[in-house]
Amino acid sequence: MQVKQEYIQLSDLELSSLLSAGDEIAYTEIYNRYHGALYIHVFNKLRHREDSRDIVHDLFISLWNNRDKLVLKTTLSAYLYTAVRYKVFDLISHREVASRYLESVVKFSEQEDGITDYVIREKQFLAIIEQEIAALPKKMRRVFEMSRMGNLSHKEIAAELDLSEKTVKKQINNSLKILRKKLGMAIFTAFIL
């Protein structure tokens, strides 16, 4: 779809309003304005072309699919860069989980048969824990994963996510309360703390 000349002249705010109303030409203009810069931004973080393309592509699909819910509390560019940053975090988090899983499979294959039952139960517990962590609200999960899996301090998380340290601390405490309730004290103490 070709963008009409008058759309090129529109501000981001005007384009956002048109997009929210379902205007495909406004969407195309937003795509044309930001696709290249977002791709470069993601590529500089990941250094992987296909993953970078996929993330930016997913962002624009999500933007279109959720256009009617789009409420900008900041500029369109800030919104897009923040959204793409979360998608990068999600990919990195997924890779870390996959990497840990692969490491556990390798360790499992190297261990003797006598401890097989223990290892299987431990993996089952870890799968349950990962499932409960994944069920946390998105922002809470992100803060929790950065703290527990990324080993970042409250201050580092606050700076990365543009939150106050108090908010980060509260999100982590709330995460721990939810997980403690869902997992039971024994599992929680053994694996989370």
Side-chain angles (χ1 to χ4, degrees), residues 148-166:
R148 292 305 191 263
M149 295 167 193
N151 296 318
L152 298 177
S153 69
H154 292 181
K155 186 175 185 175
E156 291 170 319
I157 296 168
E160 182 72 33
L161 298 180
D162 198 23
L163 300 170
S164 71
E165 286 184 54
K166 186 176 179 180

Side-chain angles (χ1 to χ4, degrees), residues 129-182:
I129 291 168
E130 286 179 11
Q131 181 181 0
E132 291 302 331
I133 290 171
L136 291 171
K138 188 175 182 177
K139 288 182 181 179
M140 185 183 291
R141 182 183 79 228
R142 181 70 198 127
V143 169
F144 181 80
E145 288 174 342
M146 290 175 78
S147 170
R148 292 305 191 263
M149 295 167 193
N151 296 318
L152 298 177
S153 69
H154 292 181
K155 186 175 185 175
E156 291 170 319
I157 296 168
E160 182 72 33
L161 298 180
D162 198 23
L163 300 170
S164 71
E165 286 184 54
K166 186 176 179 180
T167 301
V168 170
K169 183 177 181 178
K170 186 174 181 175
Q171 289 286 332
I172 292 171
N173 286 338
N174 289 343
S175 301
L176 292 173
K177 284 178 188 176
I178 291 168
L179 293 172
R180 191 177 300 124
K181 184 186 282 186
K182 289 188 175 190

Side-chain angles (χ1 to χ4, degrees), residues 125-126 128-129 179-193:
F125 284 140
L126 289 173
I128 292 168
I129 291 168
L179 293 172
R180 191 177 300 124
K181 184 186 282 186
K182 289 188 175 190
L183 297 172
M185 198 57 172
I187 295 174
F188 176 81
T189 304
F191 290 96
I192 300 292
L193 296 179

